[in-house]
Amino acid sequence: MPEILETILKERRSQPHQLIEVLHDIQEAQGYISRNAFETVSKELGIPLIEVFRVANFYKAFSLKPRGKHVITLCKGTACHVRGANPLIEQALTLLGVEEGEATDDGLFSVESVNCIGACALAPVVVLNETYHPHMTPAKLRALIRSVRRKEEKRANV
């Protein structure tokens, strides 16, 4: 068992009510929940593998695929939808050359959409690494992605 899973599961073994907490900790540590993690959690908490998968698959907070270093989340709620969320989602996917939920080849970005983030007055809203960017436009989205790329390039060259 990898050390990170050992640490997360320490003092939680055979406690199935800890499932969501354990999945949150794995998500935070690894950025996603791997097949190996599912199997280990199932065994160590005493929960059928299909149940662990069902819970992880149900909640949008859990990712079953590796995420990019920077997660772009676009709201598709009613206010965001009316104010142009769908074209923004398509633009982000096209600019980055990924499908929703996938990471870019360089591992820098992934794009996700959610049904509502509860910030309708700011619509359309884009969340980048938990920072809200209100009243998003196609130009602002392109600039945001470019600025993150530039910062990453500077870090790589230092």
Side-chain angles (χ1 to χ4, degrees):
M1 176 184 334
E3 187 176 326
I4 191 77
L5 288 177
E6 179 68 33
T7 302
I8 290 170
L9 290 165
K10 186 178 177 185
E11 299 179 17
R12 291 174 163 168
R13 288 186 170 80
S14 300
Q15 297 182 48
H17 65 279
Q18 292 282 329
L19 176 59
I20 291 179
E21 291 295 322
V22 167
L23 293 176
H24 272 292
D25 290 347
I26 293 169
Q27 175 76 39
E28 186 174 319
Q30 299 182 335
Y32 77 107
I33 303 170
S34 67
R35 180 175 177 86
N36 180 44
F38 279 119
E39 293 169 353
T40 301
V41 168
S42 169
K43 179 181 169 193
E44 297 296 324
L45 295 184
I47 301 171
L49 182 59
I50 188 67
E51 185 67 12
V52 175
F53 177 77
R54 187 189 65 76
V55 169
N57 194 43
F58 178 79
Y59 292 104
K60 194 87 174 175
F62 301 126
S63 178
L64 309 184
K65 297 178 185 175
R67 286 179 166 164
K69 181 177 178 181
H70 304 282
V71 178
I72 300 172
T73 305
L74 296 107
C75 179
K76 296 190 310 187
T78 302
C80 290
H81 174 78
V82 169
R83 294 181 181 158
N86 285 340
L88 289 172
I89 293 168
E90 289 304 317
Q91 180 187 27
L93 296 174
T94 301
L95 281 171
L96 297 170
V98 293
E99 295 292 322
E100 191 170 333
E102 293 180 348
T104 53
D105 289 341
D106 58 9
L108 282 181
F109 294 98
S110 56
V111 177
E112 301 174 350
S113 64
V114 295
N115 290 331
C116 185
I117 59 171
C120 299
L122 307 175
V125 179
V126 170
V127 182
L128 175 66
N129 301 333
E130 301 180 8
T131 300
Y132 285 54
H133 296 271
H135 311 294
M136 186 56 65
T137 64
K140 288 167 73 175
L141 182 59
R142 282 190 302 274
L144 179 65
I145 291 170
R146 273 196 307 262
S147 107
V148 172
R149 279 206 187 279
R150 270 190 247 120
K151 287 178 187 171
E152 288 296 332
E153 288 171 2
K154 282 183 182 176
R155 279 192 198 133
N157 294 329
V158 173

